[in-house]
Amino acid sequence: LLNIKVYIVTDDLLGAHGGFDFFNLDNKNWPSVQLPAYKVPRTESLADFKKRLASQFHVSNSDRTRFWTFYPRRNKTVRLDEPIPVEEETKPIGHFVNRLPATSGTPFVLYFEKFGTSNAVMPGPETICLSFKFYDPEHEQLKFVGKWYVPS
């Protein structure tokens, strides 16, 4: 394959998704949210793709963003795995796709984290990102309400 289909998750999309997991692409038992998909050349560097997305999402400086990978779990859910270090962004997209377990069958999805203004502090690599969802019992729905960073 010359191109890879890359799905992108943002905080806005997490907030729009009312399901159990971070996103849902194929489980008909859970609500789904339409993730933007991009056809990316396998050889394009992650840094170049990041610049394209920063422009599309109106982020003036792509250095104020970072990608996280998702990891498929045995129970068919996914969790944020780890941020991709800046040093690795020169590698082609194909490198990151090849790191997924061969048997996962999971589409390649990246979390595109934006830090906004230059005053916002970007958490370091030794930081754990906790995501919070709120369960609304009246509507029987989960809703992403934010994230918090803690030292590991």
Side-chain angles (χ1 to χ4, degrees):
L1 292 170
L2 297 175
N3 295 307
I4 296 169
K5 190 180 226 180
V6 180
Y7 293 93
I8 296 297
V9 175
T10 62
D11 286 342
D12 293 338
L13 290 168
L14 289 174
H17 179 61
F20 172 71
D21 214 349
F22 280 93
F23 58 87
N24 176 26
L25 292 174
D26 57 4
N27 187 336
K28 306 298 182 228
N29 297 321
W30 296 98
S32 65
V33 65
Q34 192 67 32
L35 297 181
Y38 300 85
K39 190 188 267 189
V40 181
R42 183 176 276 282
T43 56
E44 182 175 349
S45 74
L46 191 64
D48 289 343
F49 181 54
K50 183 175 162 181
K51 286 177 188 169
R52 251 194 314 148
L53 281 182
S55 173
Q56 182 178 340
F57 285 98
H58 308 291
V59 177
S60 59
N61 182 354
S62 66
D63 291 340
R64 305 292 306 151
T65 65
R66 70 177 169 185
F67 284 115
W68 289 68
T69 55
F70 284 95
Y71 195 81
R73 296 172 27 169
R74 285 188 200 146
N75 66 357
K76 307 242 188 260
T77 62
V78 293
R79 290 294 176 263
L80 280 176
D81 187 25
E82 60 186 356
I84 297 174
V86 174
E87 313 77 69
E88 289 194 33
E89 290 181 1
T90 57
K91 294 180 180 175
I93 294 281
H95 166 80
F96 301 99
V97 172
N98 293 338
R99 288 178 24 186
L100 282 174
T103 59
S104 73
T106 303
F108 187 60
V109 182
L110 292 171
Y111 170 56
F112 186 58
E113 187 174 30
K114 301 176 282 184
F115 291 100
T117 68
S118 58
N119 297 336
V121 176
M122 288 181 63
E126 299 300 319
T127 306
I128 297 171
C129 179
L130 300 175
S131 299
F132 294 93
K133 287 191 169 191
F134 170 74
Y135 178 69
D136 179 355
E138 185 177 325
H139 297 101
E140 297 181 354
Q141 188 177 35
L142 281 170
K143 185 157 180 84
F144 173 78
V145 292
K147 58 191 174 200
W148 191 261
Y149 299 97
V150 295
S152 61

